Amino acid sequence: MEKPAYFLSDAHLGIDPPGAVPDREKKLIDLLLSWRGSASHVVIVGDLFEFWYEYDYYVSRDHQALFFALSALVQSGTEVHLLQGNHDFSYGDFFPKALGVQVHKDLILEIQGKRVYFRHGDGVAKSDHGYRILRRILDFPLNRWLFKQLHPDWGMGLAKFVGRNSRKYGEDREIKMDEYLGWADGVMAREHCDICIHGHHHLSGIWQTEHGVAASAGEWIKRPAFLRMEKGGLNLVSI
């Protein structure tokens, strides 16, 4: 009998906004450790961190227990994947080399006889014009290089300041689920997939579309949840 697979997204570790679940990073670590030896796959579908920028000789000391949990999962035989999000798109080789966690922008896996497509989902909504422009600025090589010249403490402080303000803006933004579901349906048709797992908009749900099933685990700030895949079907589990 195949082991279950688990998917979650949008933990945004590193911040504690008003209304956030207390000790949520510890709760996430305990959950990951509980899957050791019993999960075939664990996929974190973007924005694990509120901010991640990988320097050559620096890794945040705030998440050492999380790093241990991810490494322990890999060592137990679980295949662990991490998707780039819009808050943590600057991964280098720390996760693959030090922890055995594979990092991707998007990903297709064969799980329990199903072909599953994963992507964080930022930039797929056509109405999100502001973010699309901002992402081009952030991805520009010169801007990446200039940011890397900052001391890590300064860089982290600046990123958290910007993140707090962008989060206030995002709370008032209308989520157009039809755009996300239309994108997911198109991806499944194009990539011949049965399931599309995404995040970014922080809404949890499982939706049937013309070409398959679209699903999101929601977020891990105020309403922690994850998706469990077993016997080819998906269930949404709230913590």
Side-chain angles (χ1 to χ4, degrees):
M1 182 176 176
E2 290 188 80
K3 297 176 181 178
Y6 299 94
F7 319 128
L8 58 91
S9 69
D10 293 279
H12 292 276
L13 302 179
I15 59 164
D16 288 301
V21 172
D23 300 320
R24 59 195 179 89
E25 183 161 350
K26 183 180 184 305
K27 288 181 171 63
L28 177 56
I29 290 168
D30 291 343
L31 182 65
L32 293 172
L33 291 174
S34 75
W35 291 337
R36 283 181 296 179
S38 63
S40 64
H41 301 75
V42 170
V43 183
I44 301 171
V45 193
D47 283 358
L48 175 59
F49 302 102
E50 175 67 10
F51 173 71
W52 180 273
Y53 193 92
E54 197 159 313
Y55 294 85
D56 293 337
Y57 304 105
Y58 166 84
V59 175
S60 174
R61 68 180 183 182
D62 293 337
H63 307 292
Q64 295 298 317
L66 174 66
F67 301 151
F68 169 81
L70 291 170
S71 179
L73 257 181
V74 172
Q75 292 178 35
S76 75
T78 299
E79 197 173 302
V80 183
H81 298 270
L82 177 60
L83 275 290
Q84 298 173 354
N86 55 302
H87 282 257
D88 54 358
F89 56 86
S90 294
Y91 290 109
D93 60 9
F94 170 73
F95 279 86
K97 287 189 175 181
L99 307 179
V101 174
Q102 302 174 55
V103 178
H104 318 266
K105 181 176 181 180
D106 53 15
L107 171 68
I108 296 175
L109 293 173
E110 296 281 347
I111 305 176
Q112 300 167 16
K114 302 290 186 179
R115 187 169 163 87
V116 188
Y117 180 90
F118 299 88
R119 183 166 179 160
H120 181 58
D122 54 303
V124 305
K126 295 180 180 179
S127 59
D128 201 358
H129 303 293
Y131 171 73
R132 290 185 171 196
I133 295 172
L134 175 62
R135 186 56 185 265
R136 290 183 180 181
I137 295 171
L138 294 174
D139 281 339
F140 190 65
L142 177 60
N143 292 335
R144 291 281 193 98
W145 182 86
L146 288 172
F147 187 87
K148 198 170 186 177
Q149 306 318 300
L150 291 174
H151 187 282
D153 290 347
W154 295 355
M156 180 65 76
L158 175 62
K160 286 187 175 182
F161 172 78
V162 173
R164 282 194 298 269
N165 287 279
S166 66
R167 185 168 302 284
K168 292 176 183 177
Y169 162 77
E171 287 175 352
D172 298 327
R173 187 181 59 200
E174 179 186 0
I175 303 299
K176 297 184 177 180
M177 276 305 301
D178 59 326
E179 293 186 342
Y180 288 95
L181 296 181
W183 161 80
D185 191 63
V187 164
M188 288 186 283
R190 184 174 66 251
E191 300 293 344
H192 306 289
C193 290
D194 305 291
I195 299 171
C196 176
I197 307 292
H198 67 284
H200 182 59
H201 49 59
H202 291 197
L203 301 179
S204 60
I206 300 172
W207 302 271
Q208 183 69 49
T209 72
E210 181 181 355
H211 293 98
V213 174
S216 171
E219 45 85 5
W220 202 275
I221 301 174
K222 298 179 181 180
R223 297 174 296 276
F226 62 87
L227 290 164
R228 176 188 174 101
M229 184 174 181
E230 194 167 19
K231 297 180 181 179
L234 288 173
N235 288 301
L236 183 64
V237 182
S238 298
I239 303 298

